[in-house]
Amino acid sequence: MWNQDKSVVLSSICTRVVIAIALVLAVVLPFVAQGGFFDNRSLIPTQLVALVLPVYYAFCVPALVALFSLDRLLAAIKRGAVFTPANVRLLRVISWACFAAAVILAVSTVVSIVFGFIALLAVFFGMILRVVKNLFAAAVELKTENDFTI
Amino acid sequence: MGIRVNIDVLMAQRRIPAGELATRVGITPANLSILKNNKAKAIRFSTLEALCRELDCQPGDLLEFDTGKSPPKIL
């Protein structure tokens, strides 16, 4: 039977898979850029990969910060500690990581205009997360008051 | 500055142990400890009523407005 605990576990697994993919790509992409993985018949042009590589590494930093924070947040939810100041801080970190990624992607529009659209998405996610963070902060305050009402 | 709960003083005067008072009032010893240590954010009328009944006192004997400076918050 599907329940909330299993849903949290699934989210946690997905987060870790994405972290693993990001790390594997960080290792593999330089070889792809050098043409070590694919021959001339490859569908992926190695020059394009070489161009995108610095953008990917710059983007990886806030992305991994956000992903590891998300993993910690999910671990806290699994423990049952949902409305805590630590989780508010994690949401704040994820939100700022989204904004940092947006800045990196906005700068990367010199490489390709596509990054501009992704930057807009990152700003949008960052804003949503800020609102969620504000909601969590208000919930933490309410919970504290409730817990200390005798 | 704030509201201070003088429950420990009244308990000592009435010679009632914390565990017994908690049982009589119908709250957990942990919650009584929160009240004693002035960590409580609010107190229900029902709890106040039970405390006054068991300690044979008025709400004013339990609660006191403290005009002193509050300790600095650790940021």
Side-chain angles (χ1 to χ4, degrees), chain A residues 6 20 32 36 69 93 95 142:
Chain A
K6 285 176 183 171
V32 178
S69 300
V93 167
S95 155
L142 283 171

Side-chain angles (χ1 to χ4, degrees), chain A residues 144-150, chain B residues 39-44 47:
Chain A
T144 309
E145 200 162 305
N146 190 45
D147 286 349
F148 287 93
T149 296
I150 314 299
Chain B
K39 296 271 169 63
K41 294 267 184 192
I43 182 164
R44 290 188 190 92
T47 311

Side-chain angles (χ1 to χ4, degrees), chain A residues 101-114:
Chain A
V103 169
I104 291 164
L105 290 164
V107 172
S108 307
T109 47
V110 292
V111 177
S112 170
I113 193 73
V114 177

Side-chain angles (χ1 to χ4, degrees), chain B residues 31-57:
Chain B
N31 279 345
L32 187 68
S33 172
I34 289 170
L35 272 176
K36 269 175 70 181
N37 295 321
N38 287 298
K39 296 271 169 63
K41 294 267 184 192
I43 182 164
R44 290 188 190 92
F45 276 168
S46 56
T47 311
L48 191 59
E49 190 187 318
L51 281 169
C52 289
R53 186 187 65 230
E54 295 304 326
L55 294 168
D56 189 25
C57 65

Side-chain angles (χ1 to χ4, degrees), chain A residues 124-144:
Chain A
F124 183 66
F125 282 134
M127 274 161 51
I128 288 174
L129 280 166
R130 270 204 83 73
V131 173
V132 173
K133 185 220 88 168
N134 290 338
L135 280 171
F136 254 67
V140 167
E141 209 171 305
L142 283 171
K143 190 184 176 294
T144 309

Side-chain angles (χ1 to χ4, degrees), chain A residues 12-148:
Chain A
S12 187
I13 290 167
C14 288
T15 308
R16 284 175 189 184
V17 166
V18 174
I19 290 171
I21 290 169
L23 291 173
V24 167
L25 278 176
V27 175
V28 167
L29 280 181
F31 294 105
V32 178
Q34 287 164 9
F37 270 40
F38 304 101
D39 55 18
N40 291 335
R41 290 169 293 172
S42 169
L43 291 172
I44 306 166
T46 53
Q47 286 166 335
L48 179 69
V49 176
L51 205 61
V52 169
L53 204 56
V55 179
Y56 179 75
Y57 280 121
F59 175 78
C60 245
V61 177
L64 284 173
V65 167
L67 283 167
F68 278 109
S69 300
L70 201 60
D71 190 48
R72 283 177 62 193
L73 184 64
L74 286 165
I77 292 170
K78 231 188 291 181
R79 282 199 311 271
V82 183
F83 297 112
T84 62
N87 286 355
V88 174
R89 196 177 55 81
L90 284 172
L91 281 169
R92 205 171 122 254
V93 167
I94 298 169
S95 155
W96 279 110
C98 281
F99 289 129
V103 169
I104 291 164
L105 290 164
V107 172
S108 307
T109 47
V110 292
V111 177
S112 170
I113 193 73
V114 177
F115 292 125
F117 295 112
I118 306 171
L120 277 175
L121 276 176
V123 169
F124 183 66
F125 282 134
M127 274 161 51
I128 288 174
L129 280 166
R130 270 204 83 73
V131 173
V132 173
K133 185 220 88 168
N134 290 338
L135 280 171
F136 254 67
V140 167
E141 209 171 305
L142 283 171
K143 190 184 176 294
T144 309
E145 200 162 305
N146 190 45
D147 286 349
F148 287 93

